[in-house]
Amino acid sequence: MLDVGRKRASELGFSGMEWLQGNAECLSSIADNTYDSYTIAFGIRNVTHIDKALKEAYRVLKPGGQFMCLEFSQVQNENLRWLYDQYSFQAIPVMGQLIAGQWKAYQYLVESIRQFPNQEEFAGMIERAGFAFVRHENLTFGVVAIHCGHKL
């Protein structure tokens, strides 16, 4: 995934970024106050201790730095949530089996999404890690959300 991101960034003319792969709960090779921006997409729900990962994100950001997280979230509308749940539990694992031969991996995907904190709960976790001006924006009716916070 990092290789694809690097390639796309290069094709779009972005430069000056450092790409890292590591344990989000323990970024011991990174000094305090190092980065201007910390992004994570569709990964924080797979971290065992989300609070530790958020504290590490805060630690490695410079004052004024921005944390941004794109993650599956909770559909707000009850009727749409019911439809999305039906699709998620009935169709996604089947498609995973048919396309990738991976029923269990796609079942895990659906279950991990449902166990992840909702938008407000996750925003609270970000605030407890020390971030200020925390906000989120729902995309696709809340199927995913972008969360942002700033280190003062």
Side-chain angles (χ1 to χ4, degrees):
M1 292 170 85
L2 288 175
D3 291 339
V4 171
R6 277 189 201 101
K7 182 179 179 200
R8 286 185 182 168
S10 176
E11 290 169 355
L12 292 170
F14 293 105
S15 62
M17 291 186 280
E18 188 171 347
W19 299 78
L20 300 174
Q21 177 180 342
N23 179 350
E25 295 178 23
C26 181
L27 300 171
S28 56
S29 64
I30 302 171
D32 296 357
N33 305 311
T34 299
Y35 293 107
D36 296 309
S37 180
Y38 181 114
T39 64
I40 184 167
F42 302 115
I44 203 158
R45 84 176 177 288
N46 295 315
V47 171
T48 304
H49 303 285
I50 296 170
D51 58 331
K52 288 182 182 180
L54 292 171
K55 287 177 184 173
E56 278 293 272
Y58 186 86
R59 182 186 67 76
V60 302
L61 280 171
K62 294 176 184 176
Q66 185 175 24
F67 168 80
M68 293 169 281
C69 177
L70 175 67
E71 188 56 82
F72 288 107
S73 203
Q74 188 178 94
V75 174
Q76 301 295 297
N77 178 285
E78 248 181 75
N79 295 324
L80 289 176
R81 186 179 326 130
W82 183 85
L83 287 171
Y84 180 60
D85 284 347
Q86 298 308 305
Y87 166 75
S88 296
F89 285 101
Q90 304 302 322
I92 290 176
V94 172
M95 289 189 300
Q97 181 64 41
L98 293 173
I99 295 168
Q102 297 283 326
W103 178 287
K104 289 183 180 180
Y106 287 86
Q107 183 69 33
Y108 167 79
L109 170 67
V110 172
E111 291 170 359
S112 72
I113 293 168
R114 293 311 179 280
Q115 292 173 359
F116 191 73
N118 68 32
Q119 291 89 322
E120 290 75 25
E121 292 168 346
F122 187 51
M125 294 175 77
I126 296 168
E127 288 173 344
R128 286 189 294 281
F131 290 98
F133 306 114
V134 174
R135 59 186 168 77
H136 72 272
E137 179 181 341
N138 287 327
L139 305 174
T140 320
F141 305 105
V143 171
V144 298
I146 300 171
H147 282 81
C148 300
H150 296 270
K151 180 176 180 176
L152 299 180

